[in-house]
């Protein structure tokens, strides 16, 4: 086929609203003696490519970048012990492959400890994740359940549960370990002294360790560790706070606060008929539940808050969810679509 050369300093096609039909062919059909600046469509690669004097380079395409927040369920509070650890928290972004089906799983919060014939630990929260072909699965680990009386350590998790109280001479009880890059360790539960029981440890949060029992004064439960802030929804708020530890309030009333980011407050005990229940972690913030006495109905421990998965995609792309995630949960953000997923498993594609 003959090649027609157009000898001009420039070609102006700005008045044409139709198209420019570019030469095309397979990789094997590339020119045998290419010249710098040659451009063609490679039908093997389905790419527009340019010769740079050394090799053929594909033109960069507009690849959608998705921002994400993956938050696991928080751990439940222990019985007369430690607060639940916050769910593991991961944030970041990755390049999407258009048309790929991505699977989102959101973990529920762990159940609070229940007293039957003895005290018990809180249940761990469930993991949350995003997965899909070509993507290394992003998994946030559920928060560790709080430890219980007597001497039960907090469970490991995204953030660790607080350690339980112990009897006189029993020694301190460690909190559970947090997962590196996702959360922090739970606080230490203290040993009994002077006829009273020292405080249980606070659950760890994404941004801070759980507080140790016996702080800021004797018998107090440890504060839940604070979470971390994210503005992915356009509203800068905390996620993944730890639950507060239990307090023996006979020397003085104190309620250990949960950490910023949905951590539940710890309960306190004065007697079997006087005291306060713990509060649960906040759903969609992945907070740990507070610890409480649990042996009477008015002083129950708190469950962990459910996790969430949030994705943020430029308006130039369309998300096609198979389920019913919430669109723009904190209001519209210019230039983006934001979807928040609830507990369970759903899928989505981008086009």
């Amino acid at each position: 086929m003959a090649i027609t050369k157009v000898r001009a300093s420039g070609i102006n096609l700005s008045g044409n609203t139709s198209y420019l039909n570019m030469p095309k062919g397979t990789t094997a059909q590339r020119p045998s003696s290419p010249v710098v600046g040659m451009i063609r469509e490679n039908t093997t690669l389905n790419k527009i490519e340019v010769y740079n004097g050394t090799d053929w380079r594909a033109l960069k395409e507009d690849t959608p970048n998705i921002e994400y927040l993956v938050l696991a369920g928080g751990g439940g509070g222990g019985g007369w012990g430690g607060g639940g650890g916050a769910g593991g928290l991961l944030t970041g972004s990755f390049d999407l492959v258009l048309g790929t089906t991505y699977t989102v799983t959101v973990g529920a919060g762990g159940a609070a400890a229940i007293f039957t014939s003895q005290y018990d630990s809180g249940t761990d929260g469930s993991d949350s994740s995003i997965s899909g072909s070509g993507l290394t699965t992003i998994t946030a680990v559920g928060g560790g359940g709080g430890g219980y009386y007597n001497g039960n350590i907090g469970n490991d998790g995204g953030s660790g549960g607080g350690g339980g109280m112990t009897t006189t001479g029993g020694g301190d009880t460690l909190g559970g370990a947090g997962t590196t890059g996702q959360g922090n360790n739970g606080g230490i539960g203290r040993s009994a002294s002077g006829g009273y029981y020292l405080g249980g440890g606070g659950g760890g949060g994404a941004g801070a360790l759980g507080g140790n029992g016996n702080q800021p004064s004797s018998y107090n439960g440890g504060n839940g560790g604070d979470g971390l802030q994210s503005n992915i929804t356009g509203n800068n708020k905390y996620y993944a706070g730890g639950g507060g530890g239990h307090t023996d309030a006979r020397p003085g009333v104190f309620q250990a606060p949960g950490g910023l980011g949905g951590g539940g407050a710890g309960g306190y005990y004065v007697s079997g008929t006087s005291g306060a229940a713990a509060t649960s972690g906040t759903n969609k913030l992945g907070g740990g539940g507070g610890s409480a006495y649990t042996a009477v109905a008015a002083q129950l421990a708190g469950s962990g808050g459910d996790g969430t998965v949030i994705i943020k995609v430029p308006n130039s792309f369309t998300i096609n969810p198979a389920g019913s995630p919430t669109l723009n949960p904190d209001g519209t953000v210019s230039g983006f679509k934001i979807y928040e997923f609830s507990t369970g498993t759903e899928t989505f594609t981008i086009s």
Side-chain angles (χ1 to χ4, degrees), residues 158-225:
S159 282
M165 303 172 177
T166 57
T167 55
T168 302
D172 293 340
T173 305
L174 295 177
T179 300
T180 301
Q182 299 192 23
N184 287 282
N185 296 351
I188 296 171
R190 298 302 191 184
S191 178
S193 175
Y196 300 115
Y197 294 94
L198 301 186
L209 297 167
N212 295 331
N214 209 28
Q215 294 181 359
S217 60
S218 296
Y219 316 110
N220 291 346
N223 295 355

Side-chain angles (χ1 to χ4, degrees), residues 113-120 293-295:
I114 297 175
F115 184 91
T116 51
S117 59
Q118 62 180 28
Y119 297 100
D120 202 356
Y293 176 45
T294 70

Side-chain angles (χ1 to χ4, degrees), residues 4 7 46 68 92 118-119 124 151 167 231 299 336 347:
T4 301
R7 302 185 182 280
N46 290 320
Y68 64 82
Q118 62 180 28
Y119 297 100
D124 297 345
T167 55
N231 66 353
Q299 298 183 45
F336 294 93
T347 61

Side-chain angles (χ1 to χ4, degrees), residues 157-288:
S159 282
M165 303 172 177
T166 57
T167 55
T168 302
D172 293 340
T173 305
L174 295 177
T179 300
T180 301
Q182 299 192 23
N184 287 282
N185 296 351
I188 296 171
R190 298 302 191 184
S191 178
S193 175
Y196 300 115
Y197 294 94
L198 301 186
L209 297 167
N212 295 331
N214 209 28
Q215 294 181 359
S217 60
S218 296
Y219 316 110
N220 291 346
N223 295 355
D226 287 338
L228 291 174
Q229 288 180 292
S230 171
N231 66 353
I232 188 172
T233 65
N235 180 15
N236 198 28
K237 59 185 178 183
Y238 281 89
Y239 297 85
H246 182 251
T247 295
D248 186 339
R250 286 173 288 181
V253 172
F254 175 80
Q255 189 162 23
L260 295 174
Y268 63 85
Y269 171 88
V270 178
S271 69
T273 58
S274 178
T279 58
S280 295
T282 304
N283 289 335
K284 296 189 176 182
L285 295 183

Side-chain angles (χ1 to χ4, degrees), residues 11-350:
I11 300 174
N12 187 351
L13 300 177
S14 61
N16 192 319
T17 60
S18 183
Y19 64 90
L20 176 64
N21 195 357
M22 190 172 295
K24 56 178 61 69
T26 65
T27 298
Q29 292 173 324
R30 285 170 173 166
S32 57
S33 300
V35 177
V36 173
M38 284 184 170
I39 184 169
R40 67 193 292 271
E41 178 184 351
N42 187 316
T43 57
T44 302
L45 304 176
N46 290 320
K47 304 282 186 182
I48 304 299
E49 58 184 8
V50 178
Y51 189 71
N52 66 3
T54 303
D55 54 17
W56 290 92
R57 295 292 181 89
L59 296 183
K60 184 176 180 181
E61 296 177 330
D62 186 10
T63 302
N65 181 266
I66 183 169
E67 185 178 350
Y68 64 82
L69 181 149
V70 179
L71 174 63
W80 197 290
L89 176 64
L90 293 170
T91 60
S93 64
F94 62 88
D95 291 335
L96 284 164
V97 177
L98 297 181
T100 296
T101 298
Y102 294 91
T103 300
V104 170
T105 298
V106 176
I114 297 175
F115 184 91
T116 51
S117 59
Q118 62 180 28
Y119 297 100
D120 202 356
S121 59
T123 302
D124 297 345
S126 298
D127 298 351
S128 295
S129 63
I130 302 176
S131 61
S133 177
L135 172 68
T136 300
T137 300
I138 301 162
T139 301
V141 179
Y148 64 91
Y149 175 91
N150 177 16
N152 183 261
I153 65 174
N155 293 348
D156 298 341
S159 282
M165 303 172 177
T166 57
T167 55
T168 302
D172 293 340
T173 305
L174 295 177
T179 300
T180 301
Q182 299 192 23
N184 287 282
N185 296 351
I188 296 171
R190 298 302 191 184
S191 178
S193 175
Y196 300 115
Y197 294 94
L198 301 186
L209 297 167
N212 295 331
N214 209 28
Q215 294 181 359
S217 60
S218 296
Y219 316 110
N220 291 346
N223 295 355
D226 287 338
L228 291 174
Q229 288 180 292
S230 171
N231 66 353
I232 188 172
T233 65
N235 180 15
N236 198 28
K237 59 185 178 183
Y238 281 89
Y239 297 85
H246 182 251
T247 295
D248 186 339
R250 286 173 288 181
V253 172
F254 175 80
Q255 189 162 23
L260 295 174
Y268 63 85
Y269 171 88
V270 178
S271 69
T273 58
S274 178
T279 58
S280 295
T282 304
N283 289 335
K284 296 189 176 182
L285 295 183
S291 172
Y293 176 45
T294 70
V296 295
Q299 298 183 45
L300 299 181
S303 59
D306 296 340
T308 190
V309 170
I310 300 171
I311 59 172
K312 184 176 182 180
V313 181
N315 276 337
S316 54
F317 298 92
T318 300
I319 183 169
N320 305 292
S324 301
T326 301
L327 175 63
N328 299 328
D330 290 328
T332 302
V333 176
S334 179
F336 294 93
K337 300 184 187 77
I338 301 163
Y339 287 86
E340 183 176 42
F341 294 81
S342 300
T343 52
T345 298
E346 300 183 36
T347 61
F348 70 90
T349 58
I350 299 288

